[in-house]
Amino acid sequence: MPMESESKSKKWVGRTTACFPATTVVEAWAIAGNFCAAHKWLPLDTCCKIEGEENEPGCIRLCGSRLNWVKERLVTFDPVGHTYAYEITESNMGFGNYLSFVKLIPAGEEGCQVEWAFEADPVDGWTKDGLVSYMQTALEAMEKAILLNNGK
């Protein structure tokens, strides 16, 4: 079996983090903790609930921009611990098995750290590094959205 096929068969596991020194966990959670409002910090045209109760496990959201769309199901949601996990159930971008984890933790006096991790089957047309880079860019956009939302 060629090496390329072997690397395609391995599950991708990745993680990115961002430190927001001027944003408390509570301020960040007000943006990041709304499962059906990812369009407020991701470059999406829409993100809306299509099934279930918002921020309750089982809730399904539809996120899309121009030509791409994805349906994601909330697996766990802990507003006290500032964490949640979700999985992709359907998309037109080639995702198969994909599970993601978001966690916010205090950092310093007035700051927080956001961790965004994933486990996924390899996706045609993507690289693991490309997916991590997209996630890092999204976290930078999240920080801007949080600062804007809080008038900072």
Side-chain angles (χ1 to χ4, degrees):
M1 182 181 274
M3 290 298 276
E4 186 174 314
S5 295
E6 287 177 19
S7 66
K8 279 191 152 197
S9 66
K10 292 185 179 187
K11 186 171 283 289
W12 290 349
V13 177
R15 182 178 91 124
T16 188
T17 61
C19 192
F20 303 166
T23 304
T24 67
V25 168
V26 172
E27 291 169 334
W29 187 253
I31 297 288
N34 187 341
F35 183 66
C36 295
H39 63 289
K40 292 185 177 181
W41 58 276
L42 283 171
L44 298 169
D45 295 329
T46 188
C47 179
C48 61
K49 175 184 73 102
I50 59 172
E51 188 176 313
E53 296 296 320
E54 283 192 36
N55 296 334
E56 293 289 330
C59 176
I60 297 176
R61 69 182 179 189
L62 173 66
C63 298
S65 59
R66 298 175 93 186
L67 303 174
N68 296 317
W69 60 269
V70 62
K71 288 183 183 177
E72 297 168 332
R73 184 178 72 82
L74 191 58
V75 177
T76 63
F77 189 82
D78 178 3
V80 175
H82 303 108
T83 66
Y84 61 90
Y86 65 93
E87 64 185 354
I88 291 177
T89 60
E90 220 178 315
S91 82
N92 71 344
M93 298 181 294
F95 285 95
N97 292 322
Y98 175 96
L99 181 62
S100 197
F101 310 89
V102 176
K103 180 178 184 178
L104 283 67
I105 52 177
E109 292 291 316
E110 293 292 320
C112 75
Q113 180 173 316
V114 180
E115 297 178 357
W116 191 4
F118 68 90
E119 297 174 3
D121 289 342
V123 182
D124 286 338
W126 288 69
T127 64
K128 177 184 165 189
D129 290 343
L131 183 54
V132 170
S133 178
Y134 169 80
M135 293 168 69
Q136 187 65 46
T137 300
L139 287 182
E140 292 165 10
M142 178 194 291
E143 182 179 26
K144 289 177 186 172
I146 291 166
L147 292 173
L148 251 161
N149 189 59
N150 293 312
K152 293 183 180 181

